[in-house]
Amino acid sequence: MDLATMTAQLERLRADALAAVAAAADPAGLDAVQLEFLGRKGALTEVLRGIGGLPAEDRPRVGAVANDVREVVEAAIAAHGVDLRGAAMAARLAAEAVDVTTPGRRIARGTRHPVAETIAAIDEVFGRFGFVVFEGPEIEDDVTNFQMLNIPSDHPARDLWDTLYVDIPDHLLRTHTSPGQIRVMRETRPPIRALLPGRCFRYEAVDASHGFEFHQVEGLMVDEGTSLADLRGLLDEFAHALFGAGRATRFRPGYYPFTEPSVAFDVGCVVCDGVGCPACGRSGWMTILGAGMVHPVVLRNGGIDPETYQGFAFGMGVERIAMLRHGIHDLRLFMEGDLRFLGQFR
Ligand code: DAH
């Protein structure tokens, strides 16, 4: 082996390696070229084995050529690698391209159910007067739904509430939110200002103004010296907030076993403004809730001494209020889930 031969071998190796680098089609192919020519058992190592057979003064010159070959090939591998990765990225970007000018898919936006919206409006008005929302169970016991509210088992007043019973002895689907009064009185101490919204159930033939499932909001205030005048003032504020500042209001005598005295609270007809029309039975008035001073027996059942404390309570049907606010004529619409109806309360 002499200097000229070895130099020629190295020149050829450089040419072969550069050709192989140029031909590599992907990063894996390039790795293979690197291994084949520059690897520990590669072609360059192979050629340099012969260096031991050269005269001592020729060895550095061959070494210099070999280093030059390694550098040139490494540089070519690095440069082509950049090209290949760039091409791969470009191909991927093209394949995964997103057309940002395509119109988006519209997200269907829900609306608040008119019953929920009306409960929120009622909460808001009474909230201004310090009333706090509580919730009682929909499956209630007979004692709390009736007996604690001064309605004994055999009392004819039970006929006012057509009841749906459940499989649990002495339990039923609450017929009104009034049992919540008992629960609040037992859980808290006066002064009490509680609002109890919730779903109620009655064994009822369904028509445009009756449902077997509906909502009520109950109110309860208990404090020293609470009077019927306080109730009247509060309900006036409520009626004016929901039905307009100039709306006429009145109390009529009513009957509920858990209040004494009991009243019906009327507002001037929201359709004819008091003139008299079919919607108000030509009376000019519409009843929106029942109310009264909490019966001493009920206060005592709630653990409150009626000699010290007085209270008032009221209960209203949410669907009825929502119908008056929005001019809805059929109560069944609230439970049907028809989006054409519900979408109107946006
Ligand atoms: N619970 C009654 C009903 O369902 C409504 C009611 C009337 C509630 C008078 C009251 C009240 O708190 O004082 O018909």
Side-chain angles (χ1 to χ4, degrees), residues 60-262:
R61 300 176 63 183
V62 170
V65 175
N67 279 341
D68 182 56
V69 168
R70 175 181 290 279
E71 271 168 29
V72 167
V73 174
E74 271 174 355
I77 288 172
H80 194 52
V82 169
D83 289 350
L84 285 179
R85 280 193 298 275
M89 178 59 80
R92 215 178 128 191
L93 286 176
E96 297 176 6
V98 173
D99 180 359
V100 295
T101 65
T102 309
R105 239 166 291 158
R106 195 175 277 285
I107 295 169
R109 206 138 164 265
T111 53
R112 209 162 196 196
H113 192 282
V115 167
E117 182 266 333
T118 299
I119 289 176
I122 296 167
D123 288 355
E124 198 276 318
V125 175
F126 287 104
R128 293 183 215 163
F129 296 93
F131 281 72
V132 174
V133 172
F134 286 78
E135 280 185 30
E138 292 174 359
I139 295 177
E140 187 53 278
D141 55 77
D142 185 279
V143 172
T144 315
N145 193 82
F146 288 125
Q147 298 173 44
M148 288 294 122
L149 291 169
N150 205 23
I151 311 164
S153 303
D154 54 0
H155 196 279
R158 287 231 173 180
D159 294 348
L160 293 175
W161 295 276
D162 296 305
T163 308
L164 288 159
Y165 291 90
V166 293
D167 257 356
I168 313 162
D170 302 318
H171 281 69
L172 42 80
L173 298 183
R174 65 175 173 198
T175 55
H176 51 177
T177 44
S178 300
Q181 291 186 32
I182 300 295
R183 293 177 176 274
V184 168
M185 285 191 275
R186 288 186 177 169
E187 281 168 28
T188 65
R189 296 282 86 209
I192 293 171
R193 292 181 196 189
L195 213 55
L196 294 140
R199 197 181 294 262
C200 304
F201 308 86
R202 285 188 202 171
Y203 183 65
E204 196 82 68
V206 174
D207 63 27
S209 50
H210 297 86
F212 61 85
E213 193 183 355
F214 57 96
H215 296 77
Q216 287 189 339
V217 175
E218 188 87 10
L220 173 69
M221 168 149 180
V222 179
D223 203 349
E224 286 179 53
T226 299
S227 75
L228 198 65
D230 297 327
L231 173 64
R232 180 69 203 266
L234 180 68
L235 293 182
D236 274 1
E237 292 292 337
F238 170 67
H240 293 155
L242 256 71
F243 300 110
R247 182 79 36 202
T249 63
R250 71 174 183 186
F251 271 179
R252 277 188 300 120
Y255 170 71
Y256 298 100
F258 32 88
T259 42
E260 182 60 38
S262 302

Side-chain angles (χ1 to χ4, degrees), residues 317-333:
V318 177
E319 281 80 356
R320 174 153 173 78
I321 306 261
M323 287 166 85
L324 293 177
R325 291 175 86 212
H326 298 296
I328 299 162
H329 298 295
D330 193 330
L331 184 133
R332 288 168 289 202
L333 288 164

Side-chain angles (χ1 to χ4, degrees), residues 249-331:
T249 63
R250 71 174 183 186
F251 271 179
R252 277 188 300 120
Y255 170 71
Y256 298 100
F258 32 88
T259 42
E260 182 60 38
S262 302
V263 299
F265 182 63
D266 296 350
V267 295
C269 177
V270 301
V271 178
C272 66
D273 243 341
V275 177
C277 70
C280 57
R282 312 209 176 276
S283 71
W285 295 96
M286 288 176 153
T287 302
I288 60 166
L289 56 82
M293 298 306 293
V294 181
H295 198 291
V297 166
V298 175
L299 286 173
R300 224 173 273 124
N301 288 340
I304 287 168
D305 179 5
E307 299 300 327
T308 309
Y309 294 104
Q310 295 74 44
F312 62 67
F314 54 86
M316 67 187 90
V318 177
E319 281 80 356
R320 174 153 173 78
I321 306 261
M323 287 166 85
L324 293 177
R325 291 175 86 212
H326 298 296
I328 299 162
H329 298 295
D330 193 330
L331 184 133

